[in-house]
């Protein structure tokens, strides 16, 4: 889960958090006296961010394992959960028995793997063939001796759009026609200008210039802010600057709603129909767009192919912190939630696209349609989007640099508070310092 996908600080700040963590452990949602349930039941705490879609999967797991009770703590946005998890890991208490790790922070945890249980010691090696090689290897230490997580979703890409707003603007609404009209990013921008020029719709074309960064860079580069030696290259990666300029030019042309993503402002923009399109990884459909848009907008959204043809944004892992008192049971839970059955339940509930190979081939995924998104064949659209994808290397501090430095500066430029050039310079200067 992404999202892709979407996401905050890394383990690299753990050393700074130790002092805070020791004083804030009492605020943790997991206490030692909660380790066991009634009647000898083992009680596990599962901590995830956003919406992993695990409600039904947990019920199924508990039914098959009556000696285990799962408390699922939904910790809000990644930016809220991640700093707390860093603190709890540093303090040695407070983290759940199983925790969600997003791909943008994963490498930092792999580098500081002593905070996690080695899943290979619990038998995870037998699961390797269940996952794409790149998904498995991302959670593996360089020497191949320790695995810290099992893959949950992948963030196959599409373009979600409001067909009612398209109709008002005189644009085609059929998803195949829409896909053809925006087959490239330049086509997408041109169609946006046509949408605006109609003068018939108050909504903007896109929610925010920043929404282009992940999908466009991940389609067109094998690296992002860091090269494969984990050295900062954000200021010299031409695709990053190209995407920055493309998004801010769209804002200057009046094509963006200038909404601040992952905020109350963004939530209101969904409900108020403030924009017509949004690049959407699979996890963003039912788990973000449908929830934020609400029942009143059901059937108004649809899904077309992403400009550029495919790609991935986001995706997550489940890990077992070393501080757990129940490593074997925690592993069983993580194993089930990342099995074919767990993946398919999450996809049905939250649109989280399976990373399990058997799940990707199952009719429950391949033939899935979404009632909320006008019957769009979500399994087919997202499945095709990742067929030829190549993994993009995300450095240990990727998410920290994006969410705390680059995205805020891009938003400031989008809202006219600073020039694009000045915002870029400040973002890159701060990013270099943070990366060192």
């Amino acid at each position: 889960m992404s999202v892709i996908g979407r996401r905050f600080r890394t383990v690299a700040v753990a050393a700074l958090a130790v002092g805070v963590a020791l004083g804030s452990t009492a605020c943790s949602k997991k206490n030692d006296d909660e380790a066991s349930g009634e009647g000898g039941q083992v009680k596990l705490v599962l901590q995830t961010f956003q919406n992993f879609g695990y409600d039904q999967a947990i019920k199924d797991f508990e039914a098959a394992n009556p000696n285990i009770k799962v408390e699922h703590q939904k910790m809000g946005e990644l930016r809220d959960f991640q700093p707390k998890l860093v603190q709890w890991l540093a303090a040695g208490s407070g983290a759940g028995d199983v925790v969600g790790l997003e791909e943008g922070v994963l490498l930092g945890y792999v580098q500081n793997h002593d905070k996690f249980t080695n899943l290979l010691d619990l038998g995870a090696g037998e699961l390797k063939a269940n996952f794409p090689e790149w998904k498995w290897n991302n959670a593996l230490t360089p020497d191949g001796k320790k695995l810290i997580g099992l893959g949950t979703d992948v963030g196959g890409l599409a373009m979600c759009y409001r067909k009612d707003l398209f109709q008002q603007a005189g644009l085609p609404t059929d998803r195949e026609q829409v896909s053809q009209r925006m087959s490239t990013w330049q086509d997408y921008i041109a169609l946006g200008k046509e949408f605006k020029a109609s003068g018939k719709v108050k909504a903007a074309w896109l929610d925010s210039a920043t929404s282009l960064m992940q999908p466009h860079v991940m389609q067109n580069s094998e690296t992002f802010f860091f090269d494969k030696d984990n050295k900062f290259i954000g200021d010299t990666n031409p695709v990053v600057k190209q995407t920055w300029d493309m998004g801010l030019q769209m804002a200057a042309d009046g094509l963006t709603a200038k909404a601040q993503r992952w905020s109350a402002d963004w939530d209101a923009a969904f409900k108020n129909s403030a924009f017509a399109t949004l690049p959407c990884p699979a996890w963003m459909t039912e788990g973000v767009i449908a929830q934020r848009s609400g029942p009143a907008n059901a059937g108004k959204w649809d899904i077309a192919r992403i400009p550029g043809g495919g790609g991935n944004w986001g995706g997550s892992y489940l890990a077992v912190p070393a501080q757990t008192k129940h490593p074997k049971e925690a592993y069983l839970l993580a194993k089930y939630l990342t099995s074919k059955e767990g993946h398919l339940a999450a996809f049905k509930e939250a649109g989280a696209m399976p990373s399990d190979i058997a799940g990707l081939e199952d009719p429950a995924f391949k033939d899935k349609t979404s009632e909320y998104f006008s019957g769009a064949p979500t399994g087919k659209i997202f499945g095709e989007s990742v067929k030829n994808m190549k993994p993009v290397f995300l450095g240990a501090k990727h998410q920290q640099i994006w969410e705390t430095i680059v995205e805020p500066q891009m938003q400031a430029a989008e809202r006219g508070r600073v020039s694009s050039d000045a915002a870029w310079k400040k973002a890159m200067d701060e990013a270099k310092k943070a990366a060192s």
Side-chain angles (χ1 to χ4, degrees):
M1 144 102 259
S2 310
V3 68
I4 279 329
R6 346 201 144 88
R7 298 173 177 204
F8 200 46
R9 300 162 70 181
T10 71
V11 167
V13 301
L16 297 177
V18 173
V20 177
L22 290 173
S24 63
T25 301
C27 298
S28 164
K29 304 220 178 224
K30 178 176 177 284
N31 299 313
D32 290 344
D33 60 0
E34 295 178 339
S36 297
E38 297 179 1
Q41 253 191 345
V42 171
K43 181 178 178 181
L44 298 177
V45 172
L46 168 67
Q47 294 171 337
T48 61
F49 51 90
Q50 289 177 210
N51 183 6
F52 274 51
Y54 282 162
D55 290 352
Q56 184 58 49
I58 289 172
K59 292 178 183 178
D60 295 340
F61 174 80
E62 289 178 331
N65 298 272
N67 63 314
I68 302 175
K69 180 67 177 176
V70 180
E71 178 188 340
H72 186 190
Q73 297 177 354
K74 300 177 182 180
M75 308 298 288
E77 302 298 342
L78 180 66
R79 68 182 65 206
D80 301 321
F81 173 49
Q82 177 64 15
K84 296 175 183 178
L85 180 59
V86 168
Q87 292 175 4
W88 295 334
L89 291 172
S93 65
D97 299 286
V98 179
V99 298
L101 306 179
E102 201 269 346
E103 67 166 13
V105 301
L106 181 67
L107 181 59
Y109 288 120
V110 172
Q111 292 178 344
N112 294 271
H113 54 80
D114 61 306
K115 302 299 182 183
F116 294 94
T117 300
N118 185 359
L119 300 184
L120 295 178
D121 291 342
L122 296 171
E126 66 182 8
L127 306 177
K128 181 177 181 180
N130 295 357
F131 299 91
E133 184 177 10
W134 64 269
K135 186 72 173 179
W136 177 269
N137 288 344
N138 278 355
L140 200 63
T141 54
D143 62 7
K145 294 181 179 180
K146 187 168 184 176
L147 183 76
I148 72 163
L150 295 174
T152 59
D153 60 321
V154 291
L157 280 170
M159 181 65 72
C160 293
Y161 67 99
R162 284 286 299 268
K163 65 179 186 179
D164 58 325
L165 301 181
F166 273 47
Q167 185 175 31
Q168 291 174 31
L171 300 183
T173 60
D174 175 77
R175 68 180 66 95
E176 182 58 36
Q177 292 180 349
V178 171
S179 297
Q180 292 174 1
R181 289 291 305 273
M182 57 172 72
S183 62
T184 69
W185 287 103
Q186 292 308 312
D187 290 340
Y188 168 73
I189 294 170
L191 193 62
K193 290 179 177 178
E194 187 177 334
F195 176 87
K196 184 176 187 295
S198 73
K200 299 176 181 178
V201 191
K202 293 182 179 180
W205 180 239
L206 174 67
D207 66 323
S208 169
T210 61
S211 287
L212 295 184
M213 188 62 78
Q214 281 98 333
H216 188 262
V217 174
M218 290 192 176
Q219 278 186 344
N220 294 286
S221 179
E222 293 184 1
T223 56
F224 210 120
F225 295 129
F226 294 86
D227 66 16
K228 294 180 181 179
D229 293 321
N230 206 35
K231 294 179 180 178
F232 182 75
I233 57 165
D235 57 335
T236 58
N237 183 343
V239 182
V240 174
K241 185 59 163 64
Q242 178 189 3
T243 309
W244 172 286
D245 291 340
M246 182 171 69
L248 290 180
Q249 185 59 55
M250 288 183 68
D253 291 340
L255 299 181
T256 74
K258 303 179 182 179
Q260 182 179 345
R261 299 190 308 159
W262 312 109
S263 72
D265 175 51
W266 199 50
D267 295 349
F270 278 106
K271 286 186 171 62
N272 298 332
S273 304
F275 56 90
T277 68
L278 179 64
C280 53
W283 52 264
M284 193 181 277
T285 54
E286 309 290 345
V288 176
I289 296 174
Q291 286 190 359
R292 283 167 165 80
S293 298
N297 288 315
K300 295 179 181 179
W301 283 95
D302 208 327
I303 306 176
R305 292 189 296 274
I306 190 78
N312 181 74
W313 170 7
S316 299
Y317 292 76
L318 292 181
V320 177
Q323 63 190 248
T324 180
K325 291 177 169 41
H326 305 286
K328 293 181 180 179
E329 291 84 357
Y331 168 67
L332 287 178
L333 176 60
K335 179 181 176 181
Y336 178 77
L337 294 176
T338 58
S339 68
K340 183 182 82 169
E341 292 75 19
H343 274 107
L344 292 176
F347 178 64
K348 181 178 181 180
E349 192 172 310
M353 182 178 173
S355 64
D356 173 84
I357 293 172
L360 288 170
E361 294 299 322
D362 194 281
F365 169 72
K366 294 176 71 173
D367 300 338
K368 179 73 165 61
T369 60
S370 171
E371 181 179 354
Y372 193 93
F373 288 87
S374 304
T378 49
K380 181 176 185 292
I381 292 171
F382 288 114
E384 290 180 350
S385 76
V386 298
K387 278 185 176 179
N388 299 313
M389 66 157 283
K390 295 180 180 179
V392 176
F393 181 83
L394 302 179
K397 294 186 178 181
H398 171 86
Q399 210 61 37
Q400 176 188 356
I401 284 173
W402 167 241
E403 281 207 341
T404 68
I405 298 172
V406 178
E407 185 176 28
Q409 286 302 317
M410 193 173 183
Q411 288 171 339
E414 180 178 21
R415 294 185 173 192
R417 297 172 182 167
V418 64
S419 70
S420 174
D421 288 345
W424 173 260
K425 184 179 186 307
K426 184 174 181 180
M428 293 302 106
D429 287 348
E430 291 185 3
K432 286 178 185 177
K433 291 178 183 178
S436 61

